[in-house]
């Protein structure tokens, strides 16, 4: 199987590449140049209806495969992803803008999701509940049916795999709606699934913007929804799902605190925080957005952060620089506006801040010091390579600042004193906390948010809870029948 960029992508419905019901194609651009890469179909509500219909039709055949068979198919998908890793990474890097090495790592993550959930497919056990001699009581875990999945543009392939793999392992079929600026890798993944033996209709992809997103989240043929994206869109998804009481998993934004205690290894902490905020040009929900630094080491630590920031070389993702461009023009404007806001609010620009000349959407690593916790750049998700460094006097103040935002996705603490580090970790309001590192999770570990960062968990075995519902079966063993 050789994967090449096509000129014009169609929808993927019922195992086939099919045109949308309108000729209005959309275009995805190269973020490094602003030039078009490819056209793709703009799905309408009618197309979503078709895709959901195909997914519904496929449920009973997919569900009735044995768990071992489903697991084997998922394992084969992982093998095929790895066999096509170079092509997939090129496509992802071109479409999203991320450095090739990071795209390669995303492709490996995608393979790992399928491999991991392949292994889980035949271990989705229920339990028996002791209720005395006259009753046998057991639970069975059943798939929902059709899973609708809405994907953002920062990790298009790996987030698609993160949702599709557990959904399929559990016996659901899926309709995926990728983001309109990064539709390509999900379409290639769907074609790869088909060529690997996934039955028609089990994996469907509808491309486009808000219309197919709204159609999918409000469709009464969808039994479960997985959404990854911003808080406002997550709220819209939840409202739409309320109409049909469809369960939702929401993976939303973050404004994650990295607390640097005075006894931390400062070189290590600066490395991890720079990696945490500048990887993927800061377009990561779990990024290290805010460095909370003890006042006794504040100036020294800022110097270390600036040293890292200025060492990043920027360029087109496919040239594999340290940092690529932001994904699209509108988002680039948002990030540039936030930098302007930081200056207006009185923060000190230590480095960066000035977008690169040219048609690409490049913003260099940017560090603000003298940031007050209530400033907008300390409260709102920027989703770019912009770090806010905030001083604190003691642990109580650090935690007040850390938890004084609406988000609660990740957080981190740097300290050589493990008792102190664990104490702080327990008190950060977040679904995941890193100690003396950043991005410490993996395919095997649960991931998700507290507060406005979301509902439910992806990754790990816990993700399967989003794709399975429990049925309790009570059996009367009384020989008299009552
Ligand atoms: P977004 O909310 O703008 O869009 C996400 C997806 O929703 C896109 O596919 C979009 O087309 C679709 N959409 C838009 N309006 C819709 C509607 N009314 N109904 C249904 N779907 C609709 O988010 P984005 O800008 O693509 O992604 C960035 C955001 O995603 C950030 O906030 C980031 O933190 C978050 N994110 C979270 C995680 C996580 O796992 N917690 C991971 C990655 C990104």
């Amino acid at each position: 199987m050789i994967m090449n960029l096509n000129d014009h992508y169609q929808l993927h419905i019922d195992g086939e590449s099919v045109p949308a019901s309108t000729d209005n194609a959309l275009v995805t651009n190269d973020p490094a140049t602003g030039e078009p890469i490819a056209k793709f179909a703009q799905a309408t509500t009618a197309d979503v209806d078709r895709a959901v219909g195909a997914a519904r039709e496929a449920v009973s055949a997919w569900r009735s495969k044995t768990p071992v068979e489903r697991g084997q198919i998922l394992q084969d998908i992982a093998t095929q992803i790895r066999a096509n890793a170079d092509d997939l990474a090129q496509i992802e890097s071109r479409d999203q803008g991320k450095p090739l090495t990071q795209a390669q790592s995303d492709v490996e993550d995608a393979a790992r999701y399928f491999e991991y959930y392949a292994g889980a497919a035949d271990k989705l056990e229920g339990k028996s509940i002791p209720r005395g001699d006259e009753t046998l009581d057991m639970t069975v875990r059943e798939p929902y049916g059709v899973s609708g999945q809405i994907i953002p543009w920062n990790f298009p392939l790996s987030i698609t795999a993160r949702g599709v793999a557990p959904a399929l392992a559990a016996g659901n079929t899926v309709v995926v709606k990728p983001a309109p600026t990064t539709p390509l890798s999900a379409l290639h993944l769907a074609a790869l699934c088909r060529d690997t033996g996934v039955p028609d209709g089990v994996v469907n992809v509808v491309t486009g913007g808000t219309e197919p997103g709204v159609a999918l989240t409000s469709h009464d043929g969808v039994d479960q929804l997985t959404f990854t994206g911003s808080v406002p869109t997550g709220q819209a998804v939840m409202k739409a799902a309320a109409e049909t009481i469809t369960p939702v998993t929401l993976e939303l934004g973050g404004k994650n605190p990295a607390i640097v205690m005075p006894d931390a290894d400062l070189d290590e902490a600066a490395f991890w925080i720079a990696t945490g905020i500048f990887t993927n040009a800061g377009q990561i929900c779990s990024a290290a957005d805010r460095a909370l630094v003890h006042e006794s080491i504040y100036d020294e630590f800022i110097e270390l952060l600036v040293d890292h920031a200025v060492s990043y070389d920027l360029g087109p993702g496919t040239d594999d620089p340290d940092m690529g461009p932001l994904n699209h023009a509108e988002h680039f404007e948002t990030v540039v506006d936030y930098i302007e806001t930081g200056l207006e609010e009185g923060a000190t620009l230590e480095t960066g801040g000035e977008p690169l000349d040219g048609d690409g959407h490049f913003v260099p690593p940017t560090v603000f010091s003298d940031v007050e916790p209530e400033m907008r750049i300390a409260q709102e998700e920027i989703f770019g390579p912009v770090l806010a460094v905030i001083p604190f006097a003691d642990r109580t103040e650090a935690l007040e600042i850390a938890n004084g935002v609406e988000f609660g996705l990740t957080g981190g603490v740097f300290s050589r004193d493990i008792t102190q580090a664990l104490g702080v970790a327990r008190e950060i309001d977040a679904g995941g906390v890193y100690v003396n590192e950043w991005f410490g999770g993996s395919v095997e570990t649960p991931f998700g948010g507290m507060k406005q960062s979301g509902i439910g968990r992806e990754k790990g075995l816990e993700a399967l809870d989003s794709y399975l519902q429990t049925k309790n079966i009570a059996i009367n063993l009384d020989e008299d029948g009552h």
Side-chain angles (χ1 to χ4, degrees), residues 258-396:
I259 300 176
V260 186
M261 301 306 280
D263 70 327
D265 180 327
L266 299 191
D267 288 328
E268 285 287 315
F271 163 79
W272 282 114
I273 292 174
T275 304
I277 185 65
F278 301 137
T279 300
N280 203 24
Q283 303 164 115
I284 307 190
C285 51
S286 52
D289 305 291
R290 297 177 293 151
L292 316 190
V293 183
H294 190 264
E295 58 194 15
S296 66
I297 50 164
Y298 191 71
D299 293 340
E300 181 187 353
F301 197 69
I302 286 169
E303 276 181 34
L304 293 172
L305 288 169
V306 169
D307 287 348
H308 280 287
V310 297
S311 75
Y312 276 66
D313 70 299
L314 273 67
T318 45
D319 290 353
D320 206 20
D322 296 325
M323 187 192 281
L326 295 172
N327 176 250
H328 54 276
E330 197 188 334
H331 182 56
F332 170 79
E333 294 302 334
T334 305
V335 173
V336 170
D337 283 353
Y338 267 116
I339 293 172
E340 195 55 41
T341 301
L343 293 169
E344 284 164 13
E345 289 179 311
T348 303
L349 184 63
E350 296 284 348
T351 184
E354 200 51 48
L356 270 54
D357 288 338
D359 295 327
H361 314 313
F362 292 97
V363 171
T366 297
V367 177
F368 276 113
S369 63
D370 302 323
V371 177
E372 303 283 344
E374 66 280 1
M375 287 179 181
R376 282 185 60 205
I377 60 162
Q379 288 286 326
E380 298 173 19
E381 185 183 43
I382 299 174
F383 219 53
V386 182
L387 177 66
V389 193
I390 308 173
F392 68 84
D394 56 28
R395 172 174 160 162
T396 306

Side-chain angles (χ1 to χ4, degrees), residues 17-203:
S17 189
V18 293
S21 55
T22 163
D23 290 335
N24 298 340
L26 296 171
V27 171
T28 178
N29 295 320
D30 183 338
T33 61
E35 295 292 315
I37 301 175
K39 286 187 183 166
F40 63 96
Q42 182 174 20
T44 62
T45 300
D47 297 320
V48 171
D49 214 32
R50 249 193 315 161
V52 173
R56 276 232 82 72
E57 191 71 30
V59 166
S60 73
W62 182 245
R63 232 188 115 150
S64 60
K65 283 201 177 296
T66 66
V68 170
E69 285 169 337
R70 278 204 300 274
Q72 274 164 351
I73 290 175
L74 264 63
Q75 182 59 56
D76 291 346
I77 296 171
T79 304
Q80 283 307 314
I81 290 174
R82 290 203 175 98
N84 290 277
D86 288 346
D87 293 344
L88 279 168
Q90 280 286 343
I91 290 166
E92 189 79 330
S93 174
R94 194 76 203 289
D95 201 18
Q96 203 282 336
K98 62 181 62 197
L100 197 54
T101 306
Q102 291 174 30
Q104 284 161 345
S105 154
D106 291 0
V107 173
E108 174 55 21
D109 279 351
R112 280 288 301 135
Y113 283 120
F114 281 96
E115 189 170 66
Y116 179 81
Y117 291 108
D122 57 0
K123 300 168 190 73
L124 304 174
E125 297 168 356
K127 53 188 175 185
S128 72
I129 298 166
R131 292 183 51 204
D133 291 344
E134 293 179 357
T135 304
L136 179 63
D137 197 296
M138 64 183 175
T139 64
V140 289
R141 302 178 80 198
E142 299 183 349
Y144 279 94
V146 177
S147 168
Q149 308 208 350
I150 312 258
I151 312 294
W153 45 261
N154 61 339
F155 285 85
L157 178 67
S158 71
I159 291 182
T160 302
R162 181 178 88 176
V164 170
L168 296 190
N172 302 276
T173 61
V174 295
V175 179
V176 176
K177 209 295 286 175
T181 59
T182 53
L184 304 186
S185 53
L187 288 165
H188 279 279
L189 179 66
L192 180 147
C193 288
R194 177 199 56 211
D195 295 348
T196 308
V198 173
D200 294 349
V202 171
V203 176

Side-chain angles (χ1 to χ4, degrees), residues 150-154 159 162 177-180 208-210 213-214 217 227-230 233 236-237 251-254 285 381 383 409 447:
I150 312 258
I151 312 294
W153 45 261
N154 61 339
I159 291 182
R162 181 178 88 176
K177 209 295 286 175
T210 306
V214 171
T217 51
F227 172 81
T228 307
S230 62
T233 315
V237 168
E251 294 288 357
L252 308 178
C285 51
E381 185 183 43
F383 219 53
L409 190 58
F447 181 81

